[in-house]
């Protein structure tokens, strides 16, 4: 069994910063790509950033403001969010492609709330 646990969400003012963390644990052989998604109230979940080991890909809406990074030794992915805007408000989810003893599968965390006030 594999678990993803996010942390670091909270309340920030516009222009401020937050740093999210996501730790993968359990029956892990290899962690492949790790990514962040978010879901604003009344909207569909959307891609934010992805780190498939050594590379990074970002949604246009966060380019230049957010930075994704990984600590492979700790099976952890981070999302540094700077110059926050009210439209960044939402629940942020971590997603990881993990090879366990049962094979390759996508796993999701439970989400962490980010609220940006104007």
């Amino acid at each position: 069994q594999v678990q993803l646990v996010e942390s670091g969400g909270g309340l920030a003012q516009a222009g401020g910063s937050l740093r999210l963390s996501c730790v993968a644990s359990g029956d892990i052989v290899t962690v492949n790509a790790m990514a962040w998604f978010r879901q604003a109230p009344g909207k569909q979940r959307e891609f934010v950033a992805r780190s498939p080991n050594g590379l990074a890909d970002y949604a246009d809406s966060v380019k230049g403001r957010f930075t994704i990074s990984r600590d492979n030794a700790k099976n952890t992915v981070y999302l540094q969010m700077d110059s926050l805007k009210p439209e960044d408000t939402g629940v942020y989810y971590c997603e990881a492609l993990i090879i366990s003893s049962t094979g390759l599968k996508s796993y999701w965390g439970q989400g962490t709330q980010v609220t940006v006030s104007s």
Side-chain angles (χ1 to χ4, degrees):
Q1 192 174 6
V2 174
Q3 301 85 35
L4 297 182
V5 178
E6 301 102 333
S7 61
L11 177 64
Q13 290 189 334
S17 299
L18 285 172
R19 188 190 193 212
L20 306 183
S21 300
C22 172
V23 181
S25 63
D27 176 23
I28 296 173
V29 175
T30 302
V31 179
N32 290 345
M34 300 187 81
W36 289 95
F37 291 75
R38 67 186 181 189
Q39 187 167 17
K43 295 188 177 181
Q44 290 188 329
R45 191 172 299 187
E46 64 176 4
F47 166 75
V48 175
R50 178 182 293 113
S51 176
N53 265 330
L55 301 173
D57 184 29
Y58 298 94
D60 288 342
S61 59
V62 306
K63 278 182 182 176
R65 301 188 298 119
F66 289 10
T67 304
I68 188 170
S69 61
R70 289 178 60 173
D71 184 336
N72 292 326
K74 296 181 179 180
N75 290 332
T76 300
V77 63
Y78 305 96
L79 186 68
Q80 177 66 41
M81 305 187 293
D82 298 318
S83 302
L84 284 164
K85 303 176 180 180
E87 50 264 43
D88 294 320
T89 294
V91 179
Y92 283 68
Y93 297 91
C94 173
E95 188 256 355
L97 289 174
I98 294 174
I99 298 175
S100 69
S101 62
T102 60
L104 177 65
K105 183 180 175 181
S106 172
Y107 294 87
W108 291 86
Q110 81 290 348
T112 185
Q113 176 70 45
V114 171
T115 303
V116 183
S117 62
S118 57

